Amino acid sequence: LIGGTNASEGNLIAGNGDIGIYLGNSGSNTIQGNFIGTTITGMAALSNANNGIYLINSPGNMVGGLAPTARNIISGNGGSGVYLSGSGTTGNLVQGNYIGTGSNGRLALPNAVDGVTVNSAAGNTIGGVIDGAGNLISGNRAGGVAMNGVGAANNLVQGNYIGTDVSGRLALGNMFSGITINGGSSNLVGGTAAAARNVLSANKLSGVLITTNSVGNLVQGNFIGVDGTGTNALGNVFNGISIDSASFNTVGGTTSGARNIISGNTGYGIEIFNATATGNSIQGNYIGPAVTG
């Protein structure tokens, strides 16, 4: 246990010359209630020079938790906020954290790369469908969540605010796309239950980018370019969803729960481009309207 849920238990892990917390070949650890890369108030950066938290070949760990007191503030670091790497890094939960913001959830304290990077790691959950599981992943200098490499498969990204403040109503965009899947397969962004919905809005590129031989990913039930109410525009600066050189991915589905609301974006709602972007399915979405249709 690194930190804890009582006020006196959290650690201040900041100003170090490399990674804040490193887990190598380590399983079943819990990281809760810490300030990682910030000052003790969580309202100014005091950077670790590399990633805030780095897991390599480490399964079954918990970063954060469902209770507000379990929340880590993982911001201001010189790499990604959380970096999951390697085929052995599976079954990890990243839940309830503020990643790239101050402790009030309204101020950008960017990590220099992504909020969360998943590098060739499978079967991890970023957020979740239980109350309190969603992360706030905003204000970072690259993307919100990036899933890279052929081993980045069967990960779940659910229930998060990515690119907004903690209210889900104001812009606090990541500098790249809200979620990027680059070579990954069979990942689920959102889901058919309302609690699985991600709000992917106000990011400086696309809400979701699926690119470079990414196959069989599902994007379902999300608000992309609207606020957390689904009724007001809070657009991504480029497209809602970009599918570039990626095949057999599904956006939406045949049930109402699978419907994405893809509206308010500066570019296209959905753009599919380059010759190898084949076999993709766009089904049942609202593209342009509010959640009410």
Side-chain angles (χ1 to χ4, degrees):
L1 174 63
I2 301 173
T5 57
N6 294 322
S8 61
E9 293 177 337
N11 299 287
L12 175 64
I13 303 172
N16 297 291
D18 202 338
I19 295 160
I21 297 174
Y22 177 92
L23 300 183
N25 302 297
S26 302
S28 303
N29 302 286
T30 300
I31 301 170
Q32 293 181 325
N34 304 288
F35 292 86
I36 303 171
T38 74
T39 60
I40 194 61
T41 65
M43 293 295 287
L46 188 58
S47 302
N48 298 296
N50 204 325
N51 303 308
I53 299 174
Y54 182 37
L55 277 63
I56 182 167
N57 293 323
S58 294
N61 300 285
M62 167 67 83
V63 177
L66 303 179
T69 53
R71 176 183 304 133
N72 298 290
I73 310 300
I74 312 168
S75 302
N77 297 287
S80 295
V82 179
Y83 197 106
L84 309 178
S85 183
S87 60
T89 299
T90 187
N92 295 288
L93 301 177
V94 180
Q95 297 183 325
N97 305 287
Y98 288 1
I99 305 175
T101 78
S103 56
N104 66 356
R106 300 181 186 277
L107 169 72
L109 291 183
N111 295 293
V113 191
D114 304 311
V116 179
T117 303
V118 181
N119 182 43
S120 298
N124 300 286
T125 299
I126 313 301
V129 297
I130 302 171
D131 188 39
N135 302 282
L136 175 64
I137 308 174
S138 298
N140 297 288
R141 290 203 178 106
V145 177
M147 292 177 279
N148 304 323
V150 294
N154 299 303
N155 297 291
L156 305 179
V157 183
Q158 298 179 315
N160 305 288
Y161 283 175
I162 302 178
T164 76
D165 76 342
V166 69
S167 74
R169 298 190 178 207
L170 299 176
L172 203 62
N174 298 289
M175 291 301 295
F176 291 0
S177 296
I179 294 175
T180 298
I181 304 174
N182 184 358
S185 62
S186 302
N187 297 288
L188 175 59
V189 176
T192 57
R197 175 188 305 131
N198 299 288
V199 178
L200 299 156
S201 300
N203 297 288
K204 305 302 184 183
L205 292 179
S206 296
V208 179
L209 169 62
I210 303 174
T211 187
T212 315
N213 302 318
S214 298
V215 177
N217 299 284
L218 299 178
V219 180
Q220 297 182 321
N222 303 287
F223 286 179
I224 303 174
V226 296
D227 69 3
T229 69
T231 59
N232 299 299
L234 196 61
N236 297 288
V237 175
F238 194 44
N239 300 321
I241 298 177
S242 300
I243 299 176
D244 174 12
S245 306
S247 58
F248 299 102
N249 301 284
T250 299
V251 177
T254 58
T255 66
S256 60
R259 175 184 302 134
N260 298 287
I261 311 302
I262 309 169
S263 303
N265 300 288
T266 304
Y268 295 102
I270 301 172
E271 184 178 16
I272 304 172
F273 53 103
N274 287 324
T276 55
T278 63
N280 297 288
S281 296
I282 313 298
Q283 297 178 317
N285 304 287
Y286 283 3
I287 306 174
V291 68
T292 58

